[in-house]
Amino acid sequence: MTPPIELDLRHLPPPQPMQHALDAADALAPGELLTIVAPMLPRPLLMELAQRGFDAEPGEPQSDGSVRVQIRRPDDAETSA
């Protein structure tokens, strides 16, 4: 299993954080985990990830407003259950 991937997207102008996060999530293998650091709570990203079948769990906002979001592609067994 590959180590978790982490992307810091805070320095990118919109809509690049969402595009980079979706591209990275789409590249995940079943069961792999991706953590992104977004400049704010990425509600549109969370909705899009849910529609695509990903598990996404945002953390608490940090003092600068940024939010860490863990994104996981479900295992094949989870999606067929």
Side-chain angles (χ1 to χ4, degrees):
M1 187 169 161
T2 58
I5 302 161
E6 182 166 312
L7 294 176
D8 186 344
L9 305 174
R10 293 175 290 182
H11 64 283
L12 299 174
Q16 289 183 18
M18 184 166 175
Q19 292 169 340
H20 283 277
L22 289 173
D23 289 346
D26 286 340
L28 291 174
E32 279 191 318
L33 181 68
L34 162 69
T35 300
I36 65 160
V37 182
M40 65 186 85
L41 181 61
R43 287 184 179 93
L45 174 63
L46 296 174
M47 291 187 308
E48 182 64 29
L49 289 167
Q51 288 179 349
R52 294 182 184 201
F54 290 92
D55 296 326
E57 188 67 37
E60 292 296 317
Q62 301 301 302
S63 59
D64 65 354
S66 66
V67 176
R68 295 174 73 85
V69 180
Q70 289 193 334
I71 302 166
R72 192 175 68 85
R73 180 183 291 273
D75 289 328
D76 292 334
E78 293 175 85
T79 55
S80 63

Short mmCIF file of all heavy atoms in Angstrom, two decimals, residues 19-50:
data_model
loop_
_atom_site.label_atom_id
_atom_site.label_comp_id
_atom_site.label_asym_id
_atom_site.label_seq_id
_atom_site.Cartn_x
_atom_site.Cartn_y
_atom_site.Cartn_z
N GLN A 19 -9.98 21.83 -8.70
CA GLN A 19 -9.53 21.04 -9.85
C GLN A 19 -8.41 20.08 -9.46
O GLN A 19 -8.44 18.90 -9.82
CB GLN A 19 -9.07 21.95 -10.98
CG GLN A 19 -10.21 22.73 -11.61
CD GLN A 19 -9.73 23.82 -12.55
OE1 GLN A 19 -8.59 24.26 -12.49
NE2 GLN A 19 -10.62 24.28 -13.41
N HIS A 20 -7.42 20.58 -8.71
CA HIS A 20 -6.30 19.73 -8.29
C HIS A 20 -6.78 18.63 -7.34
O HIS A 20 -6.32 17.49 -7.44
CB HIS A 20 -5.21 20.57 -7.61
CG HIS A 20 -4.37 21.34 -8.58
ND1 HIS A 20 -3.30 20.80 -9.25
CD2 HIS A 20 -4.44 22.62 -8.99
CE1 HIS A 20 -2.75 21.71 -10.02
NE2 HIS A 20 -3.43 22.84 -9.88
N ALA A 21 -7.68 18.96 -6.44
CA ALA A 21 -8.20 17.96 -5.50
C ALA A 21 -8.96 16.86 -6.24
O ALA A 21 -8.78 15.67 -5.94
CB ALA A 21 -9.08 18.62 -4.45
N LEU A 22 -9.79 17.23 -7.19
CA LEU A 22 -10.56 16.24 -7.95
C LEU A 22 -9.64 15.37 -8.79
O LEU A 22 -9.82 14.14 -8.86
CB LEU A 22 -11.61 16.91 -8.82
CG LEU A 22 -12.79 17.53 -8.07
CD1 LEU A 22 -13.67 18.33 -9.02
CD2 LEU A 22 -13.60 16.47 -7.34
N ASP A 23 -8.64 15.98 -9.43
CA ASP A 23 -7.69 15.20 -10.22
C ASP A 23 -6.95 14.19 -9.35
O ASP A 23 -6.79 13.02 -9.74
CB ASP A 23 -6.68 16.12 -10.92
CG ASP A 23 -7.29 16.93 -12.05
OD1 ASP A 23 -8.42 16.62 -12.50
OD2 ASP A 23 -6.63 17.90 -12.48
N ALA A 24 -6.51 14.63 -8.18
CA ALA A 24 -5.78 13.73 -7.27
C ALA A 24 -6.69 12.63 -6.74
O ALA A 24 -6.28 11.48 -6.63
CB ALA A 24 -5.18 14.53 -6.12
N ALA A 25 -7.94 12.98 -6.42
CA ALA A 25 -8.89 11.97 -5.92
C ALA A 25 -9.18 10.94 -7.01
O ALA A 25 -9.21 9.74 -6.74
CB ALA A 25 -10.17 12.64 -5.46
N ASP A 26 -9.37 11.40 -8.24
CA ASP A 26 -9.66 10.48 -9.33
C ASP A 26 -8.51 9.51 -9.58
O ASP A 26 -8.72 8.41 -10.07
CB ASP A 26 -9.96 11.25 -10.62
CG ASP A 26 -11.34 11.91 -10.60
OD1 ASP A 26 -12.22 11.48 -9.81
OD2 ASP A 26 -11.54 12.86 -11.39
N ALA A 27 -7.28 9.91 -9.23
CA ALA A 27 -6.10 9.06 -9.45
C ALA A 27 -5.90 8.04 -8.33
O ALA A 27 -5.04 7.16 -8.46
CB ALA A 27 -4.86 9.94 -9.58
N LEU A 28 -6.67 8.13 -7.25
CA LEU A 28 -6.52 7.20 -6.14
C LEU A 28 -6.96 5.79 -6.54
O LEU A 28 -7.95 5.61 -7.24
CB LEU A 28 -7.36 7.64 -4.93
CG LEU A 28 -6.93 8.91 -4.21
CD1 LEU A 28 -7.98 9.27 -3.16
CD2 LEU A 28 -5.56 8.74 -3.58
N ALA A 29 -6.23 4.81 -6.04
CA ALA A 29 -6.64 3.42 -6.18
C ALA A 29 -7.64 3.10 -5.07
O ALA A 29 -7.69 3.81 -4.05
CB ALA A 29 -5.42 2.51 -6.08
N PRO A 30 -8.45 2.06 -5.22
CA PRO A 30 -9.38 1.69 -4.16
C PRO A 30 -8.67 1.53 -2.82
O PRO A 30 -7.62 0.91 -2.73
CB PRO A 30 -9.97 0.36 -4.64
CG PRO A 30 -9.88 0.46 -6.13
CD PRO A 30 -8.59 1.19 -6.39
N GLY A 31 -9.23 2.19 -1.79
CA GLY A 31 -8.68 2.12 -0.44
C GLY A 31 -7.61 3.15 -0.14
O GLY A 31 -7.23 3.31 1.00
N GLU A 32 -7.11 3.87 -1.16
CA GLU A 32 -6.07 4.87 -0.93
C GLU A 32 -6.65 6.14 -0.31
O GLU A 32 -7.81 6.47 -0.51
CB GLU A 32 -5.35 5.23 -2.23
CG GLU A 32 -4.30 4.23 -2.62
CD GLU A 32 -3.44 4.75 -3.76
OE1 GLU A 32 -3.97 5.34 -4.71
OE2 GLU A 32 -2.23 4.52 -3.69
N LEU A 33 -5.78 6.85 0.40
CA LEU A 33 -6.16 8.05 1.13
C LEU A 33 -5.39 9.25 0.61
O LEU A 33 -4.20 9.16 0.32
CB LEU A 33 -5.86 7.85 2.62
CG LEU A 33 -6.20 8.98 3.56
CD1 LEU A 33 -7.71 9.16 3.67
CD2 LEU A 33 -5.61 8.71 4.93
N LEU A 34 -6.08 10.37 0.51
CA LEU A 34 -5.51 11.65 0.11
C LEU A 34 -5.93 12.67 1.15
O LEU A 34 -7.09 12.69 1.55
CB LEU A 34 -6.06 12.05 -1.27
CG LEU A 34 -5.93 13.50 -1.70
CD1 LEU A 34 -4.47 13.85 -1.96
CD2 LEU A 34 -6.77 13.75 -2.95
N THR A 35 -5.00 13.50 1.59
CA THR A 35 -5.33 14.60 2.48
C THR A 35 -5.02 15.89 1.74
O THR A 35 -3.94 16.04 1.19
CB THR A 35 -4.52 14.54 3.79
OG1 THR A 35 -4.81 13.32 4.46
CG2 THR A 35 -4.88 15.71 4.70
N ILE A 36 -6.00 16.79 1.72
CA ILE A 36 -5.77 18.10 1.13
C ILE A 36 -5.85 19.15 2.23
O ILE A 36 -6.54 18.95 3.24
CB ILE A 36 -6.76 18.44 -0.01
CG1 ILE A 36 -8.19 18.56 0.52
CG2 ILE A 36 -6.66 17.45 -1.14
CD1 ILE A 36 -9.11 19.32 -0.39
N VAL A 37 -5.14 20.24 2.04
CA VAL A 37 -5.26 21.40 2.91
C VAL A 37 -5.86 22.49 2.03
O VAL A 37 -5.21 22.98 1.11
CB VAL A 37 -3.90 21.83 3.50
CG1 VAL A 37 -4.10 23.01 4.44
CG2 VAL A 37 -3.22 20.67 4.21
N ALA A 38 -7.12 22.81 2.30
CA ALA A 38 -7.85 23.80 1.50
C ALA A 38 -7.83 25.15 2.22
O ALA A 38 -7.76 25.20 3.45
CB ALA A 38 -9.29 23.34 1.30
N PRO A 39 -7.93 26.24 1.47
CA PRO A 39 -7.90 27.56 2.09
C PRO A 39 -9.12 27.85 2.97
O PRO A 39 -9.07 28.72 3.83
CB PRO A 39 -7.83 28.53 0.92
CG PRO A 39 -8.25 27.75 -0.27
CD PRO A 39 -7.99 26.32 0.02
N MET A 40 -10.20 27.10 2.76
CA MET A 40 -11.42 27.23 3.55
C MET A 40 -12.21 25.93 3.40
O MET A 40 -11.81 25.06 2.64
CB MET A 40 -12.26 28.41 3.06
CG MET A 40 -12.79 28.22 1.65
SD MET A 40 -13.64 29.65 0.98
CE MET A 40 -12.26 30.57 0.35
N LEU A 41 -13.31 25.79 4.14
CA LEU A 41 -14.13 24.59 4.02
C LEU A 41 -14.64 24.49 2.58
O LEU A 41 -15.38 25.36 2.12
CB LEU A 41 -15.31 24.64 4.99
CG LEU A 41 -16.22 23.42 4.97
CD1 LEU A 41 -15.46 22.15 5.35
CD2 LEU A 41 -17.41 23.62 5.88
N PRO A 42 -14.25 23.45 1.86
CA PRO A 42 -14.58 23.35 0.44
C PRO A 42 -15.92 22.64 0.19
O PRO A 42 -15.97 21.52 -0.31
CB PRO A 42 -13.40 22.56 -0.12
CG PRO A 42 -13.02 21.65 1.01
CD PRO A 42 -13.28 22.44 2.26
N ARG A 43 -17.01 23.30 0.53
CA ARG A 43 -18.33 22.67 0.40
C ARG A 43 -18.61 22.14 -1.02
O ARG A 43 -19.09 21.01 -1.16
CB ARG A 43 -19.42 23.63 0.85
CG ARG A 43 -19.47 23.81 2.34
CD ARG A 43 -20.64 24.71 2.78
NE ARG A 43 -20.68 24.84 4.21
CZ ARG A 43 -20.10 25.82 4.89
NH1 ARG A 43 -19.45 26.77 4.26
NH2 ARG A 43 -20.18 25.86 6.20
N PRO A 44 -18.35 22.94 -2.09
CA PRO A 44 -18.60 22.40 -3.43
C PRO A 44 -17.76 21.16 -3.73
O PRO A 44 -18.25 20.22 -4.36
CB PRO A 44 -18.22 23.56 -4.37
CG PRO A 44 -18.36 24.78 -3.52
CD PRO A 44 -17.97 24.35 -2.13
N LEU A 45 -16.52 21.14 -3.26
CA LEU A 45 -15.67 19.96 -3.45
C LEU A 45 -16.25 18.76 -2.72
O LEU A 45 -16.31 17.66 -3.27
CB LEU A 45 -14.25 20.24 -2.96
CG LEU A 45 -13.30 19.05 -2.97
CD1 LEU A 45 -13.08 18.53 -4.38
CD2 LEU A 45 -11.99 19.40 -2.30
N LEU A 46 -16.69 18.95 -1.49
CA LEU A 46 -17.26 17.85 -0.71
C LEU A 46 -18.48 17.26 -1.41
O LEU A 46 -18.66 16.04 -1.46
CB LEU A 46 -17.60 18.30 0.70
CG LEU A 46 -16.41 18.75 1.56
CD1 LEU A 46 -16.91 19.31 2.88
CD2 LEU A 46 -15.43 17.62 1.77
N MET A 47 -19.32 18.12 -1.96
CA MET A 47 -20.52 17.65 -2.68
C MET A 47 -20.13 16.87 -3.94
O MET A 47 -20.69 15.81 -4.23
CB MET A 47 -21.44 18.82 -3.02
CG MET A 47 -22.10 19.43 -1.80
SD MET A 47 -23.35 20.70 -2.13
CE MET A 47 -22.49 21.81 -3.22
N GLU A 48 -19.15 17.37 -4.67
CA GLU A 48 -18.71 16.70 -5.89
C GLU A 48 -18.06 15.35 -5.57
O GLU A 48 -18.31 14.36 -6.27
CB GLU A 48 -17.73 17.58 -6.67
CG GLU A 48 -17.25 16.99 -7.96
CD GLU A 48 -18.34 16.77 -9.01
OE1 GLU A 48 -19.35 17.52 -9.00
OE2 GLU A 48 -18.19 15.85 -9.84
N LEU A 49 -17.27 15.29 -4.52
CA LEU A 49 -16.65 14.03 -4.13
C LEU A 49 -17.70 13.01 -3.74
O LEU A 49 -17.60 11.83 -4.10
CB LEU A 49 -15.67 14.25 -2.98
CG LEU A 49 -14.38 14.98 -3.34
CD1 LEU A 49 -13.65 15.42 -2.07
CD2 LEU A 49 -13.48 14.11 -4.21
N ALA A 50 -18.73 13.43 -3.01
CA ALA A 50 -19.81 12.52 -2.63
C ALA A 50 -20.52 11.98 -3.86
O ALA A 50 -20.83 10.78 -3.94
CB ALA A 50 -20.79 13.22 -1.70
#
